[in-house]
Amino acid sequence: MTIYIKSISIKGVKTNKALGGHEMIGDTVIIDEPRILVYLLKPIKKQTKIDAEAKEIYREILGRLDKIQVGAVLIKNADVHAINFSNHFRQYDIINTNINLNEVRIDSLNNEDTSRILFCRNAVFTISQFSSFNNNRDEMFIKDVRFSGKERLITFSKFSLKRFDDKISSGVNFIEAEKMLITGINTYEVVKNKNILIDSILCNNILFYRPPSLAPNAKPKPKNKNEAKDTTGFRASYSLQLNNLYFPDITIIENKAAVINQNYILGKFSIKVKSVEADRILDIQTDPIEHTKEFDLYCNHISAVSDDKLYRYSLQNIGF
């Protein structure tokens, strides 16, 4: 990492402890406008022992000290940019984030405390904008992120995702959503064991862009299990367990080609999902139904025109 920090302020230091050289105890640490450039050397793998690496991190932070204890750590207006070290492709950007860590304690005992995250009793952060990239192309965008470790929730004001294929290198819109709520996040499992455990995901308004139809003689593209993974290793390494997902209002946006040769019309959908489990995030992306125990789908209207254009079939209030 390359890090530039405008200023660091440490308040309420217990001088006798600091001069002794073994402990640093204070009230507040304020880190103002850090600019961080992260170079990702290789993707993280499932067998990586994050627990062991976390111990090394806390030892590096402590240095010659036996203990660091701070009432609050405030990180103000931070920007983080991650790139691939070998080809300098962009991986993700975090813009204007503010982090509040309460009751921070770094020592050998609290490193094993499962109730703590990032060495603190409670973590709260906000992010104005998060972007991730696929082969240096914009893929995912999240706006106005708010996270609370104590409440175990994260919210977004806007979420969008693009899809890519061989013909459209710049990508096309796939999903757009507003006001998403994720609750019951187990932060300890995420950091230490690479398991994403979530109770519920709720989003009231979702736009789903209908992908272009395949040509009648088109052959399905074979799955390539050896395709290159993202440099972060996120999709290939992290498992997922989700108890409940509810999207009550999904609108299908037709693509231009489908409108011209339209033979069927889709109305609004709602989806309820229970018990999703997968060893990799990538498995969910490629085959979501296979890793889902219960799936309820409702559509208020579907209509289709017969091939000879003589009949239109219409269905209402379909439940599956």
Side-chain angles (χ1 to χ4, degrees):
M1 290 187 286
T2 300
I3 302 174
Y4 165 81
I5 298 173
K6 182 179 179 181
S7 66
I8 298 178
S9 302
I10 304 174
K11 300 179 180 181
V13 178
K14 293 192 175 180
T15 339
N16 57 335
K17 298 285 186 181
L19 292 175
H22 298 291
E23 295 183 355
M24 175 64 73
I25 300 177
D27 294 334
T28 308
V29 175
I30 301 174
I31 302 173
D32 193 24
E33 294 187 15
R35 301 291 180 260
I36 303 171
L37 181 60
V38 182
Y39 301 91
L40 299 170
L41 298 175
K42 60 182 180 178
I44 191 171
K45 296 182 179 180
K46 190 65 180 173
Q47 63 267 27
T48 302
K49 299 294 184 183
I50 288 186
D51 218 15
E53 294 192 6
K55 289 182 180 179
E56 291 302 318
I57 290 171
Y58 100 80
R59 289 194 185 104
E60 288 181 12
I61 294 173
L62 283 174
R64 296 181 180 180
L65 298 173
D66 297 324
K67 179 180 182 179
I68 295 176
Q69 180 178 324
V70 182
V73 175
L74 307 177
I75 303 173
K76 301 166 61 178
N77 303 321
D79 286 350
V80 181
H81 303 278
I83 63 174
N84 185 316
F85 181 78
S86 59
N87 57 21
H88 284 203
F89 278 10
R90 299 165 74 185
Q91 299 299 307
Y92 60 83
D93 292 336
I94 301 174
I95 306 299
N96 191 19
T97 182
N98 292 277
I99 303 174
N100 189 342
L101 309 178
N102 294 318
E103 294 185 41
V104 179
R105 294 185 182 182
I106 306 174
D107 56 32
S108 58
L109 180 63
N110 286 287
N111 179 64
E112 304 294 336
D113 189 348
T114 59
S115 66
R116 289 179 174 270
I117 180 69
L118 300 176
F119 308 109
C120 69
R121 184 65 67 189
N122 183 34
V124 177
F125 67 74
T126 59
I127 299 174
S128 294
Q129 179 180 318
F130 172 86
S131 304
S132 69
F133 303 88
N134 179 321
N135 287 327
N136 221 28
R137 305 168 299 187
D138 295 337
E139 182 178 43
M140 184 170 64
F141 173 82
I142 304 174
K143 186 178 180 181
D144 298 330
V145 183
R146 177 183 174 270
F147 169 81
S148 171
K150 187 174 183 180
E151 299 175 38
R152 300 179 67 187
L153 66 80
I154 186 168
T155 61
F156 313 140
S157 70
K158 184 177 181 180
F159 170 85
S160 63
L161 182 67
K162 288 184 177 180
R163 60 185 294 275
F164 298 93
D165 57 32
D166 295 334
K167 296 180 180 179
I168 308 174
S169 59
S170 60
V172 294
N173 289 336
F174 179 52
I175 293 175
E176 291 183 1
E178 294 181 351
K179 298 181 180 179
M180 183 174 287
L181 171 66
I182 303 174
T183 60
I185 303 170
N186 188 325
T187 50
Y188 179 82
E189 283 292 321
V190 173
V191 173
K192 288 296 184 75
N193 301 317
K194 302 191 293 296
N195 298 320
I196 300 178
L197 306 184
I198 297 173
D199 181 54
S200 299
I201 299 178
L202 170 65
C203 185
N204 289 327
N205 299 301
I206 296 179
L207 301 180
F208 175 77
Y209 290 82
R210 180 174 157 189
S213 302
L214 293 173
N217 56 352
K219 295 181 180 179
K221 187 178 179 181
K223 294 181 180 179
N224 183 8
K225 295 184 179 180
N226 297 320
E227 64 182 4
K229 307 298 187 299
D230 59 326
T231 309
T232 60
F234 174 77
R235 292 185 299 165
S237 295
Y238 282 75
S239 65
L240 175 67
Q241 181 177 324
L242 169 64
N243 295 330
N244 301 285
L245 180 146
Y246 183 41
F247 297 155
D249 189 352
I250 302 175
T251 302
I252 307 296
I253 305 297
E254 302 289 351
N255 62 73
K256 293 180 180 179
V259 172
I260 295 172
N261 303 305
Q262 194 168 35
N263 59 351
Y264 64 92
I265 298 173
L266 301 174
K268 288 199 172 187
F269 287 81
S270 68
I271 294 176
K272 287 183 181 180
V273 173
K274 288 188 177 181
S275 300
V276 179
E277 291 188 22
D279 291 333
R280 305 182 306 164
I281 302 297
L282 195 62
D283 295 336
I284 293 291
Q285 289 182 295
T286 54
D287 200 345
I289 301 299
E290 182 180 349
H291 299 88
T292 301
K293 187 175 182 180
E294 295 184 29
F295 181 86
D296 294 335
L297 176 66
Y298 171 82
C299 181
N300 65 348
H301 176 77
I302 296 177
S303 65
V305 177
S306 61
D307 291 338
D308 56 15
K309 308 298 182 184
L310 293 177
Y311 301 95
R312 176 177 288 277
Y313 305 95
S314 181
L315 300 172
Q316 271 121 24
N317 301 326
I318 307 109
F320 168 77

